[in-house]
Amino acid sequence: MPVTSKMHGSVWSAIAAVLIAGGFSVGAAAADPSNVQFVVDTGPGGGSDLFAREIVKIAQQNNIISGNWPVISQSQGGGLGAMAFMKLKAGHDNYIAAFTSKWVVSSLNAPGAKARLQDLTPIIQLLDELQVVAVPASSPYKTFAEFIADAQKNPGKYVQVGGAVTSVDYLAALVIEQNTHSSWKYLSFPDGGPRITALLRGDAQIMIGAVTDFSEQVAANKLKIIGVLADKRVPAFPDAPTLKEQGIPDQGIPAQLQFRGIAGPPNMSPEAVAYFQKVFTDVTKTDDWKQYMEREGDTTELALTDEVKSRIADFTAKLGPAVTLLKAASQ
């Protein structure tokens, strides 16, 4: 659900209450933790790296923050390294991290992980990165349901291209295969370019990804979108129906499959949490942010600490069985 001005007002009221209770006047410079370090789980040019740098740029351009917030890469293990790094910074108010739902999957797939997203201090969720199903423009499939019908008749014949086997696109596919009694193969590439190339070359029939993964190719009439893995259609591709609209069972798939937010270390002070919540809420009010969301095809989705915890718990509960399917498929 897109954020409304009413939601912004209620979010800010909650933040202001914490700031005032902590002895900070609203917007007080004293609330600004010094030497902020922004941790991400990808290297330069990766999704989270670009996301963090865009937020910092918007905040600077709109005078929401002063100075620079350096972005620090902890790219080991799809979020595992970043979570472990943040856990070691317990009690530090100047460290924040850009997390994604992938962090939940990574820890579910690594029972001995040194840290989980639940160990950190959730500050705010910022957006929902809606996932869609793409096929070549020349594909005979007009809907995802048509592809699934073929996959039911020809188990293991067709191919989905995507990222790591722990990525949400593959986990969602495993759940859909189980729900529809169908099966297909998975072709993994670490980067988006080779995935699109494989799809256009005919090495794969479908790909699940974010709107921005496909926008240019759809505009060039090389790809088309045949489904949305969410409970609402995507503004960028309004003609693409959701799974439910196509009669595809979606139980076991979280309503927000790929979300992004900000977390702090364990034991971050309430004053610092409130400060960062105000900064990021103010960022989402800017025209620069709205243009960024439109450009990326994402939806602003604000939630504060307790609600973020609830959403992480719900995501964990729903994706747990999918991780079990993943482990079974890899044996």
Side-chain angles (χ1 to χ4, degrees), residues 109-218:
N109 199 47
K114 295 179 180 179
R116 306 172 304 155
L117 183 54
Q118 294 91 325
D119 297 329
L120 308 182
T121 301
I123 295 174
I124 193 168
Q125 178 186 328
L126 289 171
L127 64 86
D128 184 10
E129 199 171 78
L130 297 175
Q131 302 291 292
V132 298
V133 186
V135 297
S138 59
S139 170
Y141 304 119
K142 296 180 180 179
T143 66
F144 192 28
E146 292 177 353
F147 168 80
I148 289 174
D150 262 4
Q152 289 170 331
K153 297 173 186 176
N154 303 279
K157 177 180 178 180
Y158 302 110
V159 178
Q160 172 189 348
V161 67
V165 294
T166 54
S167 60
V168 293
D169 59 300
Y170 184 46
L171 291 175
L174 288 175
V175 174
I176 293 169
E177 289 176 76
Q178 184 181 59
N179 288 347
T180 59
H181 306 289
S182 59
S183 68
W184 56 83
K185 299 174 184 176
Y186 190 74
L187 179 61
S188 173
F189 288 100
D191 299 311
R195 298 172 205 167
I196 297 293
T197 299
L199 188 61
L200 293 174
R201 193 169 52 209
D203 295 340
Q205 285 70 49
I206 64 167
M207 177 175 166
I208 296 173
V211 171
T212 187
D213 292 332
F214 308 119
S215 297
E216 291 184 7
Q217 299 295 337
V218 171

Side-chain angles (χ1 to χ4, degrees), residues 121-125 273 277 303-310 312:
T121 301
I123 295 174
I124 193 168
Q125 178 186 328
V273 170
Q277 286 174 341
L304 299 184
T305 300
D306 288 342
E307 179 62 21
V308 179
K309 287 180 181 177
S310 176
I312 291 171

Side-chain angles (χ1 to χ4, degrees), residues 298-317:
D298 297 334
T299 302
T300 302
E301 187 76 31
L302 289 189
L304 299 184
T305 300
D306 288 342
E307 179 62 21
V308 179
K309 287 180 181 177
S310 176
R311 293 183 182 189
I312 291 171
D314 177 69
F315 185 91
T316 303

